[in-house]
């Protein structure tokens, strides 16, 4: 199992209806799995706002795993790793 | 861990200068910091004597400028000691807002100003954060603090670019073709440079203070040829071997003409590079889409050696076909390169001459010279590594991207570099920040369909590949309707005229901006822009002096000059050079009484609005802070505290903020692979934008659903020339000339000419405040040199001195710099010269519907005053 602490920022926090969530997921779970789990416990609009229909991360969502931003190409299939994981989802709002 | 080096040891210093000893005596010092008089941000040493700044020189330890500096940097002292400086918060008392209306400022306390701002911020965030809009421009670390707030509260409106052309295609096309941020030329090896609508190596561009001497050395030492293609005989044209005056808005035709010569007439192109590193061999069906492997879905390539189609990454693929037509899956398929050749063939040079006015034979000769100078097939060994040697580059920037159809103008030009294989290899067109090795490692990756995706340096900018499926817009910049644009802020004033037309319900209630001067230099038609500012309940501006945008503010907060503020900046490297570096900006002298550093102010605003702890959470990630240097909830830090945490998190305990304050710049060696990453990148770069087909179809569905009619012809996978409105007006004889803007090496941005020394230069160099009119046009209109003339666009009329010259295209009025100020805080230069942006019509007809660039062709009539 992997224990995931998810910190949510901005619009994602509003869509999820919470600041953070603690989840326990099967080993080798992915970002995609996590978003679906969060979607199940939060508003379905949350999952839609994080992932595309193809399961990729929305381009405006930055994911920081244990403090480090996931590099390009970002993919919902990225493994969360093992043990304890802190994940922060931040809407970065493209367009500088 | 890399090898650290002293910057001065990396490149021989050629400029003698006074000593730069730190702590020379009590009360006298040379303080290393970063100049912010323009975007380049050179490193400088500032002479301080008894608390006064008395000199600024280039920092010889800095790889970026190697001890050099320019007129803008030197004049920074007078921007600092500015007689028009705002030194206390101001509140507007006149409820009427508009251009030329006195705001009737009254001074208020910091406490009252911050209370008013934080109360409004709290209200907006609690009710609808999307009503908050923020604008920053080249503001060091302050932009990061503002950007963190956007993410924390949930507003998509943090605008980091000011100009209506800034980065509209230079970044997207660099991401696509080079994996980096913008282009430089490898002057250490380049032998043939074509500048199109830019003054690379002569007068402007990023890296100005190293590229100018490097370009000069390349010309003197190796005889590098410089060709300038520009409507204006600017500084670069004056220094060039050849100047080709081009009609504005025709760059795509010039690029396609070059491609026609290279691909069809002379057949000069780097076939092995195109086969292995681009999508040139990807097979296309009649509908323009890739022909894909039925099982894997991967794009197919025809292997000439086996006579079969194979997946693009099939290890057995021996000789990918670039030309011809092949039966695959029962259809006739063509390689993308074949279609590019066919498109180029639609541009015979006689047609290109009619469009651009450049003689066909001249284009033919230049194209052949360029192709031959590329020495395709040659190699060079650098530090024991054999690399392709392509000593040519076609550099383009603001000119070609400042147009309707900006994508096509610049894409056609960039493909000239692509087909000769000169990107990110010795001698060629380099891209900044393609590869970073330390302390973070970022390298372009392989994405969808085997194509390259940048290694993480796109910041907030979106990429054109694969782009995003269009959706009904929620944002007032219509970002959702521009699936291939980097950013779309130029649409904000247009949408604000009639938000309902696009179904937009967002309304800006509060705006915070810095001193970038969006009104005078950001969009077109200033009345349209002013209308948007006037519609906002509370506009807060950080100001050094009252500029045109500040005259529409409700509250003005004094801000520090760059010599009073600190910033950690980010690491950098000169393209092709053997070192990377990280230079900082630091407070050299304290601000005057009443002025507070803007990060300190914004921290207090966040704290009073109850947002500071959340901002810390975001900044811990964005600033890459590591334990034990994380910002902790409930604490208040000084900006220097935060800078020290950034420095130690990134470079270790021995390189804290105090180390950087003492030394200014940290320099380390980098590998040949990082210096010239071109052939080490695994992903392919496009010569054909297949993804545009899907993006356009998705967009068409959304627009139909919205009952909005847009021309989607820009989503052509191949470059094409399409005329802008001013071109048509000129052809029909409805106008006398097209007004274009050109840059002066001594004037920059919204701050423009207001600095006394810059103003003095402008007064002495008469083109600065006059407009360039070609001798033939002047004769036809009865205008003599130094006459006052009236230039009239559909949205503005200006009175200005004529400078009659051969150094401008006969159908063009050349307007320089950033002049024509009207704000009270610009008293010295008020009314001098012309504000170019004011002349630009601003509506859907003049906004590029792919990149959102503002069309910088001003349709003008000209009469003697």
């Amino acid at each position: 199992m992997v224990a995931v602490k998810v910190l949510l920022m901005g619009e994602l926090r509003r869509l999820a209806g919470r600041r953070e969530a603690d989840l326990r997921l099967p080993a080798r779970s992915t970002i995609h799995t996590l978003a679906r789990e969060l979607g199940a416990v939060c508003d379905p609009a949350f999952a839609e706002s994080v992932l595309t229909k193809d399961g990729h991360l929305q381009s405006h969502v930055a994911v920081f795993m244990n403090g480090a931003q996931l590099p390009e190409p970002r993919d919902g299939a990225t493994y969360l790793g093992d043990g304890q994981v802190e994940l922060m989802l931040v809407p970065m709002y493209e367009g500088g | 861990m890399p090898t650290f080096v002293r910057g001065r040891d990396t490149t021989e210093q050629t400029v003698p200068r006074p000593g730069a000893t730190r702590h020379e005596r009590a009360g006298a010092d040379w303080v290393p910091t970063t100049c912010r008089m323009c975007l380049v941000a050179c490193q400088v040493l500032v002479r301080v004597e008894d608390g006064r700044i008395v000199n600024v020189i280039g920092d010889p330890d800095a790889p970026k400028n190697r001890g050099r500096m320019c007129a803008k940097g030197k004049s920074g002292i007078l921007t600092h000691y500015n007689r028009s400086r705002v030194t206390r918060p101001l509140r507007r008392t006149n409820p009427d807002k508009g251009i030329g209306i006195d705001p009737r400022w009254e001074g208020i306390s910091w406490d009252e100003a911050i209370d008013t701002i934080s109360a409004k911020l709290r209200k907006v965030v609690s009710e609808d954060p999307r009503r908050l809009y923020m604008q920053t421009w080249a503001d060091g670390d302050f932009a990061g603090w503002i950007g963190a707030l956007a993410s924390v509260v949930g507003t998509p409106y943090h605008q980091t670019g000011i100009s209506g052309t800034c980065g509209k295609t230079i970044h997207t096309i660099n991401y696509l073709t080079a994996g980096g941020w913008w282009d430089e030329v490898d002057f250490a090896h380049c032998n043939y440079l074509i500048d199109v609508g830019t003054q690379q190596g002569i007068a402007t561009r990023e890296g100005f203070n190293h590229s100018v001497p490097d370009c000069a050395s390349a010309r003197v030492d190796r005889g590098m040829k410089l060709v300038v293609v520009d409507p204006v005989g600017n500084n670069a044209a004056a220094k060039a071997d050849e100047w080709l005056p081009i009609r504005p808005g025709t760059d795509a035709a010039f690029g396609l003409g070059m491609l026609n010569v290279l691909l069809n007439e002379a057949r000069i192109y780097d076939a092995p590079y195109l086969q292995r590193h681009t999508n040139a061999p990807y097979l296309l069906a009649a509908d323009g889409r890739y022909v894909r492997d039925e099982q894997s879905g991967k794009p197919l390539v025809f292997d000439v050696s086996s006579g079969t189609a194979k997946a693009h990454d099939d290890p057995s693929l021996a000789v990918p076909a670039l030309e011809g037509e092949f039966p695959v899956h029962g259809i006739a398929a063509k390689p993308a390169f074949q279609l590019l050749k066919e498109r180029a063939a639609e541009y015979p040079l006689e047609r290109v001459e009619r469009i651009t006015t450049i003689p066909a034979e001249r284009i033919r000769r230049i194209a052949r010279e360029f192709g031959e100078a590329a020495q395709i097939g040659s190699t060079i060994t650098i530090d024991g590594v054999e690399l392709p040697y392509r000593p040519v580059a076609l550099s383009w920037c603001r000119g070609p991207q400042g147009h309707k159809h900006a994508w096509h103008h610049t894409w056609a030009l960039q493909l000239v570099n692509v087909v000769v294989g000169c990107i990110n290899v010795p001698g060629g067109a380099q891209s900044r920040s393609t590869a970073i090795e330390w302390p973070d490692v970022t390298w372009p990756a392989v994405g969808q369909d085997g194509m390259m995706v940048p290694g993480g340096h796109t910041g907030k900018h979106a990429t054109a590949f694969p782009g995003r499926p269009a959706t009904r817009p929620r944002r007032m910049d219509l970002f959702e309707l521009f699936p291939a644009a980097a950013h779309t802020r130029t649409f904000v004033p247009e949408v604000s005229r009639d938000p309902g037309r696009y179904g937009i319900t967002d309304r800006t209630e509060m705006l915070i901006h810095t001193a970038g001067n969006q009104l005078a230099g950001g969009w077109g038609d200033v009345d349209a822009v002013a209308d948007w500012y006037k519609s906002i309940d509370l506009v807060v501006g950080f100001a050094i002096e009252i500029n045109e945008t500040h005259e529409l503010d409700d509250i003005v907060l004094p801000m520090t000059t760059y010599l009073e503020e600190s910033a950690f900046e980010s690491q950098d490297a000169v393209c092709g050079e053997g070192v990377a570096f990280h230079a900082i900006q630091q407070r050299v002298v304290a601000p005057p009484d009443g002025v507070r550093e803007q990060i300190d102010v914004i921290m207090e605003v966040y704290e009073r609005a109850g947002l500071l702890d959340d901002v810390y959470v975001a900044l811990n990630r964005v600033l890459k802070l590591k334990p034990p240097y994380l910002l902790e909830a409930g604490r208040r830090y000084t900006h220097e505290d935060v800078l020290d945490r950034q420095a130690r998190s990134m470079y270790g305990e021995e390189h804290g903020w105090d180390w950087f304050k003492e030394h200014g710049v940290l320099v380390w060696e980098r590998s040949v692979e990082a210096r010239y990453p071109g052939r080490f990148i695994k992903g392919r770069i496009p010569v054909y934008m297949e993804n545009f087909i899907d993006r356009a179809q998705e967009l068409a569905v959304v627009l139909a659903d919205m009952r909005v009619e847009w021309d989607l012809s820009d989503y052509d996978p191949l470059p094409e020339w399409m005329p802008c409105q001013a071109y048509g007006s000129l052809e029909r004889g409805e106008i006398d000339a097209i007004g274009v803007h050109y840059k002066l090496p001594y004037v920059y941005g919204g701050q423009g000419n207001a600095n006394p020394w810059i103003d003095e230069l402008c007064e002495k160099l008469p083109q600065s405040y006059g407009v360039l009119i070609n001798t033939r046009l002047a004769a036809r209109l009865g205008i003599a040199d130094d006459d006052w003339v009236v230039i009239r666009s559909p949205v503005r009329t200006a009175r200005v001195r004529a400078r009659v010259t051969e150094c401008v295209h006969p159908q063009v009025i050349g307007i320089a710099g950033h002049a024509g100020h009207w704000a009270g805080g610009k008293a010295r230069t008020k009314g001098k010269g012309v504000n170019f942006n004011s002349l630009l019509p601003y509506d859907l007809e003049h906004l590029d519907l792919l990149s959102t660039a503002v069309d910088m062709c001003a349709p003008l009539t000209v009469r003697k005053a």
Side-chain angles (χ1 to χ4, degrees):
Chain A
M1 298 292 282
V2 53
V4 188
K5 183 182 188 66
V6 186
L7 305 175
L8 301 166
M9 283 286 172
E11 200 167 16
L12 300 179
R13 180 181 291 178
R14 278 200 306 283
L15 287 169
R18 59 180 70 192
R19 297 172 65 91
E20 57 185 60
D22 291 298
L23 299 171
R24 292 186 69 78
L25 301 173
R28 295 185 64 75
S29 289
T30 63
I31 300 281
H32 192 168
T33 319
L34 174 85
R36 275 186 310 183
E37 288 295 317
L38 278 173
V41 297
C42 307
D43 189 303
F46 173 81
E48 289 173 19
S49 70
V50 174
L51 290 174
T52 66
K53 288 175 186 168
D54 302 331
H56 291 280
L57 284 167
Q58 294 278 9
S59 54
H60 67 267
V61 179
V63 181
F64 294 84
M65 187 152 37
N66 296 326
Q69 188 169 0
L70 287 190
E72 301 283 350
R74 297 171 308 167
D75 189 335
T78 301
Y79 288 114
L80 291 173
D82 300 320
Q84 292 198 331
V85 175
E86 184 206 74
L87 206 74
M88 188 168 77
L89 303 181
V90 186
M92 296 300 276
Y93 302 117
E94 290 161 308
Chain B
M1 181 70 75
T3 302
F4 295 115
V5 293
R6 290 282 289 170
R8 69 169 72 243
D9 298 331
T10 62
T11 309
E12 185 183 354
Q13 295 305 300
T14 54
V15 184
R17 54 190 62 259
T21 307
R22 295 229 51 186
H23 317 298
E24 203 165 76
R25 60 178 167 79
D29 199 0
W30 288 96
V31 183
T33 187
T34 293
C35 175
R36 307 297 304 196
M37 289 296 287
C38 80
L39 188 63
V40 175
C42 292
Q43 278 68 65
V44 292
L45 298 171
V46 181
R47 178 69 171 175
V48 183
E49 293 184 2
D50 302 322
R52 300 283 292 177
I53 295 168
V54 297
N55 197 3
V56 184
I57 63 173
D59 183 349
D61 284 345
K64 182 180 272 187
N65 51 310
R66 306 182 209 128
R68 293 175 181 270
M69 68 182 310
C70 71
K72 301 186 292 285
K74 205 73 176 173
S75 71
I77 296 175
L78 292 195
T79 294
H80 176 75
Y81 293 116
N82 184 337
R83 290 182 180 179
S84 300
R85 183 129 184 223
V86 178
T87 55
R88 60 175 178 165
L90 302 172
R91 176 169 55 200
R92 174 185 212 93
T93 63
N94 187 352
D96 289 337
K97 275 187 185 181
I99 295 171
I101 295 176
D102 181 359
R104 294 187 210 145
W105 300 117
E106 70 171 8
I108 56 174
S109 69
W110 273 107
D111 193 54
E112 185 179 355
I114 291 175
D115 245 358
T116 305
I117 296 164
S118 52
K120 184 69 170 180
L121 180 60
R122 198 162 48 241
K123 173 184 177 295
V124 168
V125 168
S126 65
E127 291 177 0
D128 182 358
R130 298 173 71 92
R131 293 188 171 190
L132 174 65
Y133 196 109
M134 294 170 287
Q135 295 171 324
T136 56
W137 172 244
D139 294 299
D141 291 358
F142 188 60
W145 282 78
I146 290 286
L149 179 69
S151 290
V152 164
V153 304
T155 175
Y157 303 123
H158 174 210
Q159 177 179 342
T160 57
I162 291 296
S163 148
T165 61
C166 181
K168 287 299 181 187
T169 62
I170 190 81
H171 299 318
T172 36
I173 287 180
N174 260 265
Y175 300 148
L176 272 178
T177 60
W181 176 237
W182 60 59
D183 67 304
E184 289 187 5
V185 174
D186 184 32
F187 285 115
H189 302 95
C190 186
N191 291 330
Y192 201 113
L193 169 62
I194 303 177
D195 276 353
V196 183
T198 186
Q199 300 188 74
Q200 176 82 266
I202 299 291
T204 58
R205 298 298 298 277
E206 189 60 28
F208 176 69
N209 277 314
H210 71 251
S211 62
V212 170
D214 289 353
C215 179
S217 295
R219 300 182 72 189
V220 171
D221 298 343
R222 295 193 312 280
M224 185 191 83
K225 181 164 183 174
L226 174 64
V227 176
V228 170
V229 182
D230 201 293
V232 178
N234 52 26
N235 291 69
K239 300 268 187 189
D241 297 282
E242 291 192 49
W243 169 43
L244 279 60
I246 186 171
R247 182 186 279 166
T250 65
D251 307 281
F254 175 77
L256 282 155
M258 290 275 293
L259 287 168
N260 191 21
V261 175
L262 291 169
L263 304 186
N264 295 313
E265 287 187 24
R267 294 186 65 82
I268 300 174
Y269 50 86
D270 191 338
Y273 169 72
L274 292 166
Q275 288 168 322
R276 297 293 178 184
H277 294 273
T278 75
N279 71 355
Y282 283 20
L283 292 170
L284 302 171
D287 66 357
R289 288 188 168 82
Y290 293 146
V291 180
R292 294 178 181 274
D293 180 80
E294 288 173 339
Q295 270 77 49
S296 67
K298 293 179 178 178
L300 291 174
V301 170
F302 192 81
D303 186 355
V304 176
S305 65
S306 65
T308 58
K310 297 176 178 174
H312 66 87
D313 57 353
D314 187 326
S316 71
L317 181 60
V319 185
L322 290 176
E323 300 177 57
E325 185 176 280
F326 306 95
V328 180
H329 296 171
I331 61 168
K334 291 181 179 179
F337 186 69
Q338 176 67 36
L339 267 66
L340 177 61
K341 277 168 54 78
E342 291 173 9
R343 175 60 57 84
E346 295 170 18
Y347 287 82
L349 295 187
E350 293 68 27
R351 180 188 176 205
V352 175
E353 177 176 337
R354 285 196 299 276
I355 297 169
T356 64
T357 71
I358 302 173
E361 277 312 308
R362 213 165 169 196
I363 300 173
R364 179 170 286 112
R365 177 175 52 78
I366 296 289
R368 283 180 176 269
E369 285 179 2
F370 183 85
E372 286 159 10
Q375 300 185 37
I376 291 168
S378 63
T379 61
I380 186 172
T381 300
I382 296 177
D383 292 349
V385 180
E386 188 178 41
L387 300 162
Y389 177 57
R390 301 286 180 276
V392 297
L394 188 156
S395 187
W396 54 270
C397 193
R398 183 186 178 284
Q401 73 176 344
H403 289 297
K404 185 89 172 174
H405 315 302
W407 173 272
H408 287 270
H409 291 303
T410 52
W411 183 230
L413 295 171
Q414 184 70 354
L415 283 177
V416 174
N417 289 319
V418 172
V419 299
V420 299
C422 74
I423 293 177
N424 279 337
V425 298
Q430 308 292 300
S431 193
R432 179 181 174 273
S433 300
T434 297
I436 291 177
E437 299 172 298
W438 184 82
D440 295 327
V441 178
T442 57
W443 192 269
V446 181
Q448 181 182 318
D449 294 334
M451 304 302 289
M452 177 185 69
V453 291
H457 294 281
T458 57
K460 287 186 171 185
H461 290 175
T463 54
F465 178 83
R468 295 87 52 199
T471 57
R472 265 184 174 264
R474 283 188 65 205
R475 284 171 51 161
M476 56 191 293
D477 57 2
L478 304 185
F479 182 78
E480 300 90 337
L481 296 183
F482 293 94
H487 45 69
T488 60
R489 308 299 187 193
T490 34
F491 261 78
V492 170
E494 167 62 19
V495 174
S496 72
R497 287 165 161 164
D498 184 8
R501 180 183 180 198
Y502 302 101
I504 301 299
T505 55
D506 283 0
R507 182 183 80 81
T508 302
E509 185 175 336
M510 179 180 192
L511 185 144
I512 301 171
H513 70 91
T514 54
N517 207 355
Q518 185 74 45
L519 181 66
W523 287 300
D525 181 6
V526 292
D527 292 318
V529 179
D531 284 344
W532 177 59
Y533 280 94
K534 285 155 63 178
S535 72
I536 300 167
D537 294 355
L538 181 68
V539 181
V540 179
F542 286 83
I544 292 171
E545 60 194 6
I546 299 293
N547 66 29
E548 286 70 23
T549 310
H550 292 119
E551 290 200 335
L552 299 174
D553 287 350
D554 297 288
I555 291 178
V556 171
L557 300 175
M559 67 186 283
T560 49
T561 70
Y562 70 96
L563 295 168
E564 297 160 347
E565 70 171 336
S566 299
F568 190 58
E569 299 289 344
S570 56
Q571 67 165 259
D572 203 349
V574 174
C575 289
E577 285 201 349
V579 295
F581 60 93
H582 192 127
I584 56 102
Q585 177 184 336
Q586 67 172 305
R587 171 177 288 190
V588 178
V589 291
D593 289 344
V595 177
R596 295 171 58 181
E597 192 173 3
Q598 41 274 31
I599 287 180
D600 179 52
V601 172
I602 209 70
M603 266 198 259
E604 189 164 339
V605 170
Y606 293 169
E607 188 173 38
R608 291 196 200 183
L611 298 166
L612 187 59
D613 287 347
D614 275 345
V615 170
Y616 284 166
V617 173
L619 284 175
N620 280 336
R621 274 73 182 179
V622 173
L623 302 181
K624 300 180 180 179
L625 302 186
K626 298 172 184 167
Y629 306 117
L630 297 173
L631 303 174
E632 296 172 13
R635 289 189 58 186
R636 179 73 184 270
Y637 299 91
T638 65
H639 185 205
E640 280 219 350
D641 284 338
V642 179
L643 293 165
D644 191 52
R645 287 162 188 268
Q646 282 184 265
R648 291 178 195 277
S649 294
M650 195 159 189
Y651 296 110
E653 194 62 39
E654 67 276 25
H655 291 114
W657 182 243
D658 282 343
W659 186 95
F660 276 98
K661 283 171 69 176
E662 180 66 19
H663 300 280
V665 57
L666 178 66
V667 184
W668 60 92
E669 291 181 348
R670 60 180 184 151
S671 70
V672 173
E673 289 83 352
R675 293 161 61 188
Y676 297 107
R679 299 301 191 267
F680 302 103
I681 294 170
K682 301 298 182 195
R684 294 175 183 258
I685 66 175
V687 302
Y688 181 89
M689 297 297 291
E690 193 246 10
N691 63 310
F692 276 10
I693 298 171
D694 284 341
R695 298 294 86 84
Q697 288 192 352
E698 294 152 359
L699 179 56
V701 171
V702 173
L703 291 171
D705 188 43
M706 293 169 63
R707 298 173 191 268
V708 170
E709 288 189 15
W710 273 11
D711 177 11
L712 299 183
S713 55
D714 285 274
Y715 288 90
D716 187 328
L718 290 166
E720 181 75 287
W721 175 74
M722 291 168 267
C724 65
Q725 196 176 64
Y727 182 95
S729 299
L730 193 66
E731 286 283 280
R732 293 187 295 273
E734 296 165 359
I735 56 175
D736 295 315
I738 296 174
V740 303
H741 175 264
Y742 69 101
K743 289 188 177 180
L744 300 169
Y746 44 90
V747 179
Y748 178 78
Q751 193 172 34
N753 56 338
N755 180 294
W757 287 353
I758 300 297
D759 175 49
E760 194 174 333
L761 271 176
C762 291
E763 291 280 10
K764 289 180 175 173
L765 298 166
Q767 73 274 21
S768 309
Y769 288 151
V771 296
L772 305 182
I773 300 179
N774 184 275
T775 310
R776 280 170 277 170
L777 178 61
R780 181 167 70 81
L781 298 173
I783 294 168
D785 189 44
D786 211 34
D787 276 351
W788 284 99
V789 295
V790 174
I791 56 176
R792 190 184 306 275
S793 85
V795 293
R796 211 68 165 181
T797 299
R799 190 171 181 273
V800 65
R801 293 270 191 195
R803 305 298 176 204
V804 177
T805 175
E806 289 291 328
C807 290
V808 66
H809 188 282
Q811 296 173 315
V812 168
I813 302 291
I815 300 172
H818 302 271
H821 289 290
W822 62 85
K826 305 277 189 182
R828 171 179 286 272
T829 53
K830 192 174 176 180
K832 293 182 180 178
V834 181
N835 177 257
F836 177 76
N837 282 52
S838 301
L839 297 167
L840 296 171
Y842 172 82
D843 52 35
L844 278 181
E845 283 299 314
H846 297 88
L847 289 162
D848 181 35
L849 292 180
L850 192 153
S851 73
T852 76
V854 175
D855 192 343
M856 293 276 169
C857 286
L860 298 179
T861 57
V862 188
R863 295 292 177 270
K864 187 173 176 179

